[in-house]
Amino acid sequence: MPAGTVTMMSATDVDFACTQCAKCCHDLRLPLTIDEAIEWLARGGAVEILCEAMPWLAEPPKHDIGAAHKRRRSFAASSGELPIRVIAILTAAFAGPCPNLQNDNRCGIYAERPLVCRIYPAEINPSVVFDSSHKACPSEAWATGLPPLVRAGRLVDARTVELIERSRETDANEVPLKAQLCRALGIDRAAISNEGFVVYSPPADRLLEALQAARQRASAASVSPRLDASESRWRLVSNRTASVAALAAVGAQGEFADTASTPSGSFGYLPLGDSTG
Ligand code: SF4
Ligand code: SF4
């Protein structure tokens, strides 16, 4: 794929060179593909599942790239009478340094590091406007005269372009497996998109087993499992009174975030604004 085919919204041209400060390897929920999550768990790391959902009453217009991005990475479901789409994100969760970060700031799994680590600080979501002030990189990483990262709203580096395309494709291809995974693990709650995430933290061995089973079924069938919106009866979780009331008004199953806990405490609510890699 030629360089420059991935648009990255940016008001200005951007120069960049990584200083290897490793600030981007701390305090994260790092999005993972299914294979990456299997590898992360096999190495003894912790993996969570973040769920968000949005009402989906009609298909959005083609020019709405933000909605198209959400559609591509979500599956159809329902909450009461309300048609919704659910996004399930596998994340490696850690406070402080990444378990793979070495004392010399090098990545201990460099050759196998997740896609998002290879893409950072570029943006995967095409609707997010690139802003270097939102990145962990120090100011010297953005000094004028360093190698070009963005020119005229397009990424310059061909390798990063290819990785972003691969990340978006993998995200879309894994949607049926994520739906299967949610069913297998009894996951049936999602936060309202743009408000937060419902965070599931199943036991590592159970999650690993479910991920491997989903991966094996997909390989054996060599086709995507069928999705049936009627199979999923989801609860939408919010920490806003008005949102829960609005859900009830349209016949959806809403739930306050402060009641979003099971006796086993297997999930919680993460308001937007917390770190999500
Ligand atoms: S996997 Fe490697 S590159 Fe990614 S956050 Fe951990 S140490 Fe950093
Ligand atoms: S925070 Fe930026 S400059 Fe520092 S290691 Fe990560 S990508 Fe490089």
Side-chain angles (χ1 to χ4, degrees):
M1 176 176 300
T5 52
V6 166
T7 301
M8 195 165 75
M9 286 199 287
S10 171
T12 58
D13 289 348
V14 181
D15 296 343
F16 174 74
C18 177
T19 65
Q20 302 188 335
C21 67
K23 283 184 186 154
C24 59
C25 300
H26 288 73
D27 302 305
L28 293 177
R29 283 188 166 87
L30 197 64
L32 301 173
T33 66
I34 287 178
D35 287 344
E36 289 168 354
I38 290 172
E39 287 166 15
W40 199 275
L41 286 162
R43 283 190 213 100
V47 174
E48 296 175 334
I49 304 166
L50 273 55
C51 294
E52 61 173 311
M54 47 266 163
W56 209 266
L57 300 171
E59 291 302 322
K62 284 201 168 65
H63 60 78
D64 188 340
I65 55 172
H69 183 65
K70 285 188 168 177
R71 192 192 193 293
R72 194 166 45 229
R73 58 202 302 259
S74 62
F75 55 87
S78 59
S79 175
E81 303 303 314
L82 183 69
I84 60 173
R85 292 192 74 87
V86 178
I87 299 176
I89 308 165
L90 291 159
T91 65
F94 49 87
C98 171
N100 299 304
L101 187 65
Q102 301 180 152
N103 290 337
D104 60 0
N105 274 359
R106 290 187 202 211
C107 175
I109 55 162
Y110 189 78
E112 293 92 36
R113 69 197 188 288
L115 265 177
V116 290
C117 300
R118 298 164 195 256
I119 291 168
Y120 194 87
E123 296 289 354
I124 294 173
N125 186 335
S127 66
V128 172
V129 178
F130 179 85
D131 185 341
S132 60
S133 70
H134 294 164
K135 302 293 176 182
C137 316
S139 57
E140 56 267 32
W142 309 108
T144 304
L146 290 172
L149 180 74
V150 181
R151 287 291 181 269
R154 292 190 183 276
L155 270 174
V156 172
D157 180 59
R159 178 66 180 150
T160 309
V161 167
E162 192 263 326
L163 290 171
I164 291 173
E165 287 294 338
R166 198 200 308 170
S167 171
R168 291 178 187 168
E169 261 179 49
T170 305
D171 230 8
N173 291 340
E174 289 186 342
V175 164
L177 299 186
K178 300 268 187 74
Q180 258 187 18
L181 186 70
C182 289
R183 275 199 296 277
L185 295 171
I187 291 175
D188 62 357
R189 287 171 171 81
I192 298 172
S193 198
N194 298 326
E195 287 190 1
F197 298 94
V198 167
V199 183
Y200 282 85
S201 310
D205 54 347
R206 187 159 175 238
L207 179 54
L208 184 56
E209 195 181 317
L211 285 166
Q212 287 170 331
R215 169 58 73 218
Q216 276 163 12
R217 272 198 300 274
S219 307
S222 72
V223 292
S224 296
R226 189 175 61 88
L227 289 178
D228 183 350
S230 66
E231 288 178 22
S232 297
R233 289 283 161 186
W234 285 74
R235 288 181 173 275
L236 299 180
V237 181
S238 174
N239 61 350
R240 302 179 192 179
T241 311
S243 297
V244 176
L247 288 169
V250 294
Q253 295 192 324
E255 187 170 300
F256 282 109
D258 59 358
T259 62
S261 60
T262 60
S264 62
S266 64
F267 64 88
Y269 185 81
L270 179 72
L272 209 63
D274 287 31
S275 165
T276 56

